[in-house]
Amino acid sequence: MLVLKDLTKSYDGKKKAVDHLSLTVKEGEIFGFIGPNGAGKTTTIKMITGILTPTCGQIKIKGIDMAQSPVKAKMNFTYVPDHPEIFSSIRGIDYLNFLADMYEVPVVERRDQIEKFTKIFAIYEELDQLILSYSHGMKQKLLICGALLPNPKLFILDEPLVGLDPLSAKKLKDIMKEHCNKGGTVFFSSHLLEVVENICDRIAVINKGRLVACDRLEKIKEESGHTLEEIFLELTKDAKDA
Amino acid sequence: MQRMRRLMALAKIQLLDFFSKYKSGMGLRSKKTGNLLLYLTLILLAIPFIQMSVGAYHTFLLLGRPELAVTFMYITTVLFMSFTAIPFLFSLFFYAGDIKFLVTLPIPEEFIVFAKLSTVYLYLLVINSLVLAPTMVLGGINFGLTVGSIILVFIAWLLAPLPPLLFSAVVALGLTRLAAKSSKKNILSLFFGFALLFLLLGIQLFITGESGSQVEYWTITLGRFFPPAQWLARMVTGSVKDFLYFILLNFIMVTGLRVLAAKLYRSAVLAFNEKEVIRKGGVYYRQRSKTLQLLRRNLLIILKQPVFLMNTLLSLAVPCLLLLISIITGDLSLDTLVLPENKGRAVLLFVGVLSAPALLANLSATAITREGSAFWETKVLPVEPWDNIRSRMMTTVSINLLASLLIGSFTFRLLRIEAAFLLAGLFFVIMLTLFLATIDLLINLYRPYLKWTNPAAAIKNNLNVLFSLALRPLLAIIPSFLFISWPTLGYRNILYLTGLIFFVLYLLTRKYLKNLMIRKFDQIIV
């Protein structure tokens, strides 16, 4: 579903924020992307989603090259950023209709999807309010609903649980699992190791822009004989020391 | 002492923040060519203001009353400064991102007010240097320079922005206090911007339209109503007594603001920042085309942000206000203009007014910048970069053409323009609007500047706007060249020919935008 090949990003031409990162995310799996602060997680996600242009390397989404056919590639995924900074002088429903038009979701389907997800996340009653009156958590929920609305093949989330209340966090985790059970794919970054441990099929650990581990969690744990926390701390030891 | 240190620390951080953002907003880099371009643009823009100041001095010198030049220019500068300061204060107090952080600090509220004012003061000092200072320097030279008078001129230069700044602060905070609970508070800021603009243009036109003796009479009369202008004028001639009056006035105003600041701040700023629940209409499910949705989004970014809206409307309204005031004050006689021998002048005036929205509201120069931190949204969406770029161009074209049509329909009847000239004028304006909307966007693509924290910084501290405005006078070369080379062509043909040239320039710019700038658009770092 998602293939990253030698993906590199340098902002200043010298220091590499992401350094020759290669990984493959298979269809139907929940893929956790973890690493310490400043490791390059958000930069990687921004390159996958087209917000940043890679310095070099290749991104393929469902076999479509992001550099060659960005619009076709983008039709296959949606994205929830770590900060819900969106144009907020419109109402929640305007935002969702805007996204539905962008992803060409027919009216009947968008009605069902909007009602379903906004009711799950308890923001349906607030859809006629201006987004600028929403709390941080409500904005985050609106973004999640917007990203789920086109029923994307690949669902990309950057720190999605930040700002969500425990009930909403639980619902999102359930939706992520359900999405994968239906053949969808989830790629998400998180600092919450227990969440990654509970729901991910595979994980990748990134440190200083480089991939330091990528496999099924059970396999990594089995091989090392440690918990995920111990493995994470060991793999990213130099980040702490620095 | 401890309190003063905290105020200084707060003012320092505000100024550092202001300069850092101003620098990044201007897009200043270490490259020598970039800086040279910046200075050249600033000099180009400063020249008309300095000319106005020097011109006013010479007018009063010819009247034998050079001391009145300072009085006249200070009255003008005060209006100009207030017009600039009030929208800036609205932006700094009510839409700046740092206000929520500042209110949590253990500092008195008036400190926040004064720290914010320090950045506005710098702005006004620049205006003062361009509009008032040349008159003061010439006046000082005329009255004989002594060490004492040089010091007084220097102090006058430093102090001159304070009365309008303090007045604007009380007005901005006071008006917002009145409207804080009202949903119409944004309209209030719009209204005030318009009222001040009307006042500024009106007084300037009124005075310039009068004879020399009338100007003298009005300056003396206005000076009586506004004694600081007289004090400042006498300070330039070396009067210590007037210097003391001026100092006393500033002291009283600062003390007054100190007393009022905390109360006004609490009731205005905090109430303004309280989130209100606004419910409009109901939940709907409607399909629209991607193009229409993108156009709608770009339009709403302007219409829903009061600072952007006010700036746009003020830019669009200037030609209308100028025309209206000229007619009201009798500076422009309609009866004379409609005479057959003045037909050419009427056509030029009509085309000038019609072109004003495209020339003054350079919306494309900040089309990407205005999105700020929400710019990532359009990059993630499955939309072709060209459609993204085009929707921004079309937003500018729609707003400017709509304004031109509204203004045109009003002036067309007023000036009794013939249908043939109307068509030629419309053709010219449409082509000019298309070209400017495209070339301005090119400037914004080269200099996107998305990391602003208050909306005024996005559209005012932005060097893109200056670059875009600096381009406008160069365009006048085309019709002037045609007129000089082929004087027999006539206005109508010159309009068609110039329009055609603008159309070709539009096609070339569009081609460049489409072929090369898409990569630039993709590379904008969010």
Side-chain angles (χ1 to χ4, degrees):
Chain A
M1 170 57 71
L2 171 68
V3 179
L4 308 182
K5 202 173 162 190
D6 280 330
L7 197 62
T8 303
K9 180 71 191 178
S10 171
Y11 290 100
D12 57 4
K14 292 171 197 162
K15 202 182 164 200
K16 286 170 182 160
V18 175
D19 192 0
H20 293 91
L21 183 80
S22 297
L23 58 85
T24 303
V25 180
K26 295 169 201 157
E27 265 185 46
E29 71 177 355
I30 301 185
F31 193 94
F33 195 48
I34 57 175
N37 294 330
K41 299 188 297 294
T42 298
T43 301
T44 306
I45 289 179
K46 281 185 171 179
M47 284 192 283
I48 298 171
T49 53
I51 296 173
L52 287 175
T53 314
T55 307
C56 63
Q58 195 181 37
I59 301 162
K60 277 189 175 180
I61 293 160
K62 219 173 180 304
I64 304 163
D65 192 321
M66 262 297 270
Q68 301 291 321
S69 312
V71 176
K72 269 189 185 172
K74 284 174 184 177
M75 284 301 279
N76 289 295
F77 72 82
T78 56
Y79 163 61
V80 178
D82 51 348
H83 295 289
E85 284 168 342
I86 51 172
F87 174 48
S88 55
S89 298
I90 51 173
R91 300 174 308 151
I93 190 66
D94 297 325
Y95 174 74
L96 295 176
N97 270 303
F98 172 77
L99 281 183
D101 286 328
M102 292 295 133
Y103 290 93
E104 296 162 16
V105 183
V107 172
V108 178
E109 197 184 320
R110 83 173 63 173
R111 180 194 300 269
D112 293 345
Q113 293 283 87
I114 289 173
E115 284 185 8
K116 177 184 164 190
F117 292 117
T118 55
K119 280 177 181 167
I120 287 176
F121 286 103
I123 56 164
Y124 181 76
E125 297 299 324
E126 280 78 33
L127 284 183
D128 58 350
Q129 283 178 29
L130 291 179
I131 299 171
L132 48 88
S133 66
Y134 285 18
S135 68
H136 180 93
M138 279 166 72
K139 275 189 200 166
Q140 187 76 358
K141 288 180 194 176
L142 183 73
L143 257 86
I144 291 168
C145 292
L148 288 166
L149 160 63
N151 194 19
K153 293 186 176 76
L154 173 62
F155 189 28
I156 302 171
L157 306 101
D158 192 2
E159 301 285 353
L161 302 176
V162 175
L164 291 186
D165 57 74
L167 181 64
S168 301
K170 167 82 172 65
K171 284 174 180 171
L172 177 61
K173 284 183 273 182
D174 291 344
I175 286 172
M176 283 158 75
K177 282 181 197 165
E178 191 191 319
H179 187 68
C180 292
N181 291 337
K182 287 181 183 168
T185 309
V186 176
F187 179 91
F188 82 105
S189 78
S190 182
H191 279 117
L192 305 169
L193 295 181
E194 65 275 18
V195 174
V196 174
E197 200 157 12
N198 284 337
I199 64 169
C200 288
D201 299 308
R202 285 200 307 142
I203 62 157
V205 184
I206 183 175
N207 188 29
K208 292 186 170 175
R210 289 177 177 224
L211 192 70
V212 287
C214 180
D215 214 325
R216 280 178 49 242
L217 188 58
E218 293 76 20
K219 199 176 167 194
I220 297 175
K221 279 163 61 175
E222 211 177 275
E223 281 173 3
S224 66
H226 294 292
T227 64
L228 179 60
E229 188 181 22
E230 287 164 342
I231 297 164
F232 180 82
L233 293 174
E234 179 58 32
L235 288 171
T236 61
K237 194 169 61 180
D238 55 338
K240 274 190 305 166
D241 296 342
Chain B
M1 186 56 90
Q2 193 68 30
R3 278 168 62 91
M4 189 50 80
R5 223 174 279 151
R6 282 197 287 173
L7 174 62
M8 295 305 284
L10 190 62
K12 192 178 154 191
I13 202 90
Q14 286 285 316
L15 289 172
L16 282 173
D17 185 51
F18 172 77
F19 278 120
S20 145
K21 293 208 177 97
Y22 196 89
K23 216 176 154 185
S24 92
M26 285 287 194
L28 292 179
R29 296 180 190 103
S30 55
K31 287 176 192 166
K32 280 182 187 168
T33 46
N35 285 343
L36 188 71
L37 202 59
L38 164 74
Y39 297 131
L40 272 174
T41 312
L42 289 177
I43 291 167
L44 270 174
L45 287 163
I47 288 170
F49 289 105
I50 296 170
Q51 267 180 341
M52 183 175 84
S53 186
V54 174
Y57 175 76
H58 284 296
T59 305
F60 284 95
L61 191 67
L62 286 173
L63 291 169
R65 299 291 304 270
E67 75 284 1
L68 282 181
V70 178
T71 310
F72 172 73
M73 283 313 288
Y74 190 51
I75 294 168
T76 307
T77 313
V78 165
L79 289 169
F80 195 24
M81 284 180 183
S82 305
F83 166 61
T84 313
I86 291 176
F88 194 22
L89 284 166
F90 271 117
S91 171
L92 272 183
F93 281 121
F94 311 124
Y95 300 106
D98 64 350
I99 210 87
K100 283 172 196 146
F101 159 70
L102 291 175
V103 293
T104 63
L105 296 176
I107 43 173
E109 280 121 339
E110 68 260 31
F111 281 18
I112 299 176
V113 174
F114 280 104
K116 292 264 176 202
L117 291 185
S118 61
T119 58
V120 186
Y121 170 77
L122 282 180
Y123 238 80
L124 301 190
L125 198 63
V126 173
I127 294 175
N128 189 35
S129 307
L130 297 176
V131 183
L132 180 64
T135 311
M136 284 202 298
V137 171
L138 289 171
I141 293 168
N142 186 55
F143 294 110
L145 285 178
T146 59
V147 176
S149 69
I150 291 172
I151 293 171
L152 283 183
V153 167
F154 180 69
I155 295 172
W157 170 68
L158 285 176
L159 291 180
L162 279 177
L165 173 65
L166 300 171
F167 164 75
S168 304
V170 174
V171 170
L173 287 169
L175 281 174
T176 313
R177 188 198 170 199
L178 286 175
K181 297 288 176 196
S182 154
S183 60
K184 306 287 178 211
K185 55 198 170 195
N186 294 336
I187 296 172
L188 186 76
S189 65
L190 268 174
F191 167 78
F192 204 73
F194 270 101
L196 265 169
L197 181 61
F198 197 83
L199 192 71
L200 178 71
L201 295 174
I203 287 179
Q204 278 195 328
L205 274 172
F206 189 68
I207 289 172
T208 49
E210 297 297 326
S211 66
S213 58
Q214 282 295 305
V215 171
E216 188 184 340
Y217 167 76
W218 278 109
T219 307
I220 293 168
T221 311
L222 286 171
R224 274 199 204 115
F225 284 110
F226 188 56
Q230 290 181 328
W231 300 335
L232 198 85
R234 287 198 283 263
M235 269 173 78
V236 174
T237 64
S239 166
V240 178
K241 191 179 85 181
D242 291 283
F243 163 66
L244 291 174
Y245 282 150
F246 205 81
I247 290 279
L248 186 69
L249 170 80
N250 282 299
F251 178 75
I252 293 168
M253 288 192 82
V254 170
T255 312
L257 187 64
R258 262 190 75 181
V259 175
L260 286 171
K263 206 178 166 195
L264 285 172
Y265 175 82
R266 214 171 301 129
S267 54
V269 180
L270 295 182
F272 196 93
N273 280 297
E274 271 177 24
K275 280 181 183 174
E276 52 186 329
V277 175
I278 302 166
R279 286 182 191 274
K280 280 181 188 169
V283 174
Y284 68 95
Y285 306 96
R286 187 186 307 144
Q287 206 157 357
R288 290 187 175 108
S289 73
K290 284 189 185 186
T291 312
L292 189 68
Q293 277 285 21
L294 289 173
L295 186 69
R296 190 170 171 262
R297 175 188 160 90
N298 289 315
L299 277 171
L300 287 175
I301 287 174
I302 296 173
L303 300 177
K304 297 275 182 177
Q305 166 49 255
V307 177
F308 294 163
L309 180 64
M310 183 163 81
N311 195 62
T312 307
L313 289 180
L314 287 177
S315 312
L316 298 174
V318 166
C320 259
L321 284 176
L322 269 172
L323 191 71
L324 204 67
I325 294 164
S326 305
I327 295 166
I328 294 168
T329 56
D331 193 43
L332 193 75
S333 164
L334 287 176
D335 296 332
T336 323
L337 265 179
V338 294
L339 293 173
E341 61 266 33
N342 284 333
K343 203 169 82 176
R345 204 179 148 214
V347 169
L348 282 181
L349 185 68
F350 173 68
V351 175
V353 172
L354 210 61
S355 314
L359 293 169
L360 298 175
N362 43 7
L363 295 169
S364 281
T366 52
I368 293 168
T369 302
R370 281 194 301 267
E371 285 208 56
S373 54
F375 179 69
W376 68 269
E377 278 188 278
T378 43
K379 286 197 90 179
V380 170
L381 295 171
V383 178
E384 294 286 354
W386 173 241
D387 290 337
N388 239 325
I389 293 172
R390 201 176 50 176
S391 72
R392 286 170 171 86
M393 259 163 55
M394 292 323 292
T395 308
T396 308
V397 171
S398 325
I399 293 176
N400 287 351
L401 278 185
L402 181 69
S404 288
L405 285 175
L406 286 173
I407 297 168
S409 60
F410 159 70
T411 42
F412 164 65
R413 287 169 190 210
L414 205 71
L415 300 172
R416 293 181 212 167
I417 301 293
E418 288 170 24
F421 284 105
L422 172 73
L423 283 176
L426 281 177
F427 176 75
F428 171 87
V429 167
I430 291 168
M431 296 310 147
L432 176 73
T433 308
L434 281 171
F435 171 60
L436 288 177
T438 318
I439 193 104
D440 283 350
L441 194 62
L442 210 64
I443 296 172
N444 202 189
L445 275 167
Y446 266 107
R447 308 162 52 83
Y449 178 46
L450 298 166
K451 288 176 182 160
W452 46 269
T453 46
N454 75 73
I459 50 173
K460 289 208 172 92
N461 296 1
N462 197 334
L463 193 60
N464 292 359
V465 176
L466 300 187
F467 281 142
S468 150
L469 286 175
L471 175 81
R472 272 48 176 173
L474 299 177
L475 296 178
I477 295 171
I478 300 170
S480 310
F481 174 76
L482 290 174
F483 188 76
I484 293 163
S485 306
W486 294 281
T488 51
L489 263 181
Y491 287 120
R492 202 174 51 168
N493 289 333
I494 287 178
L495 283 173
Y496 276 123
L497 212 56
T498 314
L500 209 62
I501 294 170
F502 284 147
F503 182 63
V504 173
L505 287 173
Y506 157 69
L507 288 179
L508 290 173
T509 318
R510 189 186 143 106
K511 194 169 188 288
Y512 179 65
L513 205 62
K514 204 170 176 181
N515 292 346
L516 298 166
M517 296 315 289
I518 287 174
R519 238 177 68 203
K520 199 92 190 161
F521 182 83
D522 278 335
Q523 283 168 351
I524 294 173
I525 293 177
V526 184

